[in-house]
Amino acid sequence: MLPSEALEWRLSMREVINSVGIDIGTSTTQLIFSKLTIENMATSYTVPRISIVDTQVVYRSAIYFTPLDAESNIDSERVKTIVNDEYAKAGMKPEDLHTGAVIITGETARKDNADEVLSTLSDMAGDFVVATAGPDLESVLSARGAGTDYISNEDRKVVANIDVGGGTSNIAVFDRGDLAATSCLDIGGRLVKVSNGKISYIYEKLAEFIEEKGISIRVGDVADRKSLRKVADIMAEQLAMAVNLVPKDAYHKKLYTNDGTPVPDNTRIEGITFSGGVADIVYNPTEEDEFIYGDIGPILGKAINDCEAFSSIKRYDAAETIRATVVGAGTHTTEVSGSTIRYEENCLPIKNIPVAKMSEDDEKNLKTFSEKLAAKIEIFTSTDAYDCVAVAISGMHHTAFKDIQELGRAISDGLESYCKFDFPVVVICENDIGKVLGNTLKIMLGSDRKIICIDNIFVKDGDFVDIGEPVANGRVVPVVTKTLIFNR
């Protein structure tokens, strides 16, 4: 094949799909629309290897204050109006979209009707727009939107991003471009609200914390800037503790969202980026009214900017600040699985499928594999909470045809009591064995059983996945992996 023919062949294997990101945060709600370019990176003489090779943001919405109709509820009708209006401005319809994410983040994810709003938006925003939230995923998306992974890879350093929002601060650490840790703290600019010159709201956990520190502020008090700056200074210091720049105090562990895990103590951070609404103040301190947004966000931004601990390491400019999470959601949620997979088109798309991940030790010992798989499936299906469960394996120890047949038998035996035939059997492999294993399961489970077997996707036990309709002329399916659907 001549070079020009090879180029023409490669270009014919390229496809552009539309993606949307919708972020409903503690302070703000916003959308972006992106185009993701899928291309076959293999030569004409090898098995197709299709990857997302380019992402382009084509429309950014205005930034809206997240509408609430009460202290405990998101105003779903006003949110839907915002989304519909921005779709129209972008010239997009739900049927134009192939992938994306709707996420409710920060303190907003704890609102009573958060799951209801997510479900409504997922249905109206497109067949394969996923509803997802959770501190781990939010940390990764905001960091990628900020470009922290790229900075870490380019400078070959350990770089952390702190996404300081209204209700939480999400942390993601990258070591030479690879994700090394995530964490999340209940620290944010809207945990203290100010109205008409008085304090109108203090987040309960923060109230306990600042009282422990000897600062006395109450709802109804005059919003005293000096007292609130002391609160912000303490919050900034806690963020420095979270990325191991100063020793942690006794109270620090109480600030982690959902009693989550901290960045490991042995992680040495060499650089920092900031994103989120407060980051605009960190990078560009202003003398405007500090209560212009009805909270202490600007005061917290100044406190972080002045915090001595953060001046001890290199501070990088973020590619995005207030839009980092929504950019990450619209451009970094999707992977593709293809070239050697099996699926049945009338089964796709499918959403919010829980993952039962088998360990490599389980895979090595097929004598006990089936029993352990059946027990894992039972966890999800015993209460009728889920109709479909994805079985996840590495597939690294069964690559020969005979070995794959044995693995297929172990999986089919483990699924014997999983008898909801209206729903497909979904298997996710890390190794490139999806088509052979899928065909094996089809024979073993019978022609009436629907089989979806995808590969080159890495998931953990307890994750959830969405699998979209085939793209690239049916060669691949888009896959979104989600951790912690709701942050409660």
Side-chain angles (χ1 to χ4, degrees), residues 149-167:
D149 54 341
Y150 176 81
I151 292 168
S152 171
N153 185 51
E154 285 292 296
D155 278 13
R156 313 305 292 167
K157 289 184 177 180
V158 179
V159 182
N161 182 66
I162 305 180
D163 186 81
V164 190

Side-chain angles (χ1 to χ4, degrees), residues 135 176 207 214 243 262 284 308 345 355 379 406 413 430 436 452:
R176 290 169 290 183
V243 289
N284 301 294
E308 186 176 342
E345 293 185 36
V355 172
I379 292 172
E406 292 176 353
D413 288 347
E430 295 175 5
V436 177
I452 298 172

